[in-house]
Amino acid sequence: MAKQKSITFAATNYNKSTMNDYRILVVDDEEDLCEILKFNLEMEGYTVDTAYSAEEALKLDITQYNLLLLDVMMGEISGFKMANMLKKNKATASIPIIFITAKDTENDTVTGFNLGADDYISKPFSLREVIARVKAVLRRTSPTQGKEAQEQLQ
C-alpha cells in the first residue's frame, strides 16, 4: 500500500525582515512539493529558490545558499550523490543539508547522515516540523552563532 501525501500549508510567524538574509535552495523532482515548501518558507521570511533536479541545482551557484533541502530519489543524480559531491567540494562543504525524502528506512537515514546531512525528514511530513528543523539547522550552522543569529531564528 502506497503512502498518501499529507501536506498542508502551515505558514506561521510571518516576519520577513528578520529572515531575509538566509537563502534556501529546495531540490525535488516533485514541482508541487517544491512550490509548497517555497511558499511556506517565504512566508517565514526566507529567500527560496527551487530546482526540479540535482542537475538543474548544480548549474546554480550553490555557494550563495545558507541551506539546501534535498530529495533523495531524483533523476540521474540522486540527492545522496549530490550531497556527496557538495561535501567533497571545499567551496560547498560547509553548506548545511536537510534531506526530505520518502526513503525512510533506518539505513537510508544513516546513509544521509554519513554523507554529511544536518537533518533528515521523511515524507509525508508536517510543514510546521520542517520549518522548525530549518530554523534549528540555521541556528546551529549560522556563521555568526551569536545572539543576533539566535534572536533572528526564534
Side-chain angles (χ1 to χ4, degrees):
M1 180 182 276
K3 286 186 182 179
Q4 274 192 334
K5 290 182 190 174
S6 177
I7 301 171
T8 57
F9 290 93
T12 58
N13 296 334
Y14 184 59
N15 191 357
K16 196 170 199 160
S17 64
T18 60
M19 301 295 185
N20 61 8
D21 291 338
Y22 291 101
R23 293 184 59 95
I24 299 172
L25 177 62
V26 177
V27 185
D28 196 308
D29 57 355
E30 294 181 50
E31 292 182 25
D32 291 343
L33 185 60
C34 282
E35 294 309 312
I36 290 168
L37 287 167
K38 177 180 172 71
F39 173 82
N40 281 274
L41 290 166
E42 285 178 343
M43 291 300 292
E44 289 294 320
Y46 299 106
T47 300
V48 181
D49 294 321
T50 59
Y52 304 130
S53 69
E55 293 85 352
E56 182 182 341
L58 290 168
K59 292 177 185 173
L60 303 172
D61 179 7
I62 300 291
T63 62
Q64 70 178 329
Y65 296 100
N66 302 99
L67 176 64
L68 305 177
L69 302 181
L70 297 182
D71 184 20
V72 172
M73 296 183 296
M74 296 185 285
E76 288 186 35
I77 300 176
S78 72
F80 283 163
K81 186 172 182 179
M82 180 177 170
N84 192 38
M85 293 165 62
L86 295 173
K87 293 301 180 180
K88 287 181 177 178
N89 180 335
K90 193 173 187 176
T92 56
S94 64
I95 300 171
I97 294 172
I98 298 176
F99 285 113
I100 298 183
T101 180
K103 292 185 69 79
D104 61 358
T105 68
E106 178 183 17
N107 191 46
D108 294 324
T109 304
V110 170
T111 298
F113 283 118
N114 286 340
L115 287 171
D118 295 271
D119 208 342
Y120 195 102
I121 302 169
S122 297
K123 295 177 186 175
F125 53 78
S126 152
L127 281 164
R128 288 181 61 209
E129 181 179 353
V130 170
I131 290 166
R133 288 175 182 259
V134 163
K135 288 179 181 180
V137 167
L138 288 172
R139 195 169 42 245
R140 286 193 309 265
T141 60
S142 173
T144 56
Q145 287 282 326
K147 192 171 186 173
E148 292 173 17
Q150 298 296 323
E151 288 172 0
Q152 281 186 351
L153 295 167
Q154 296 296 323

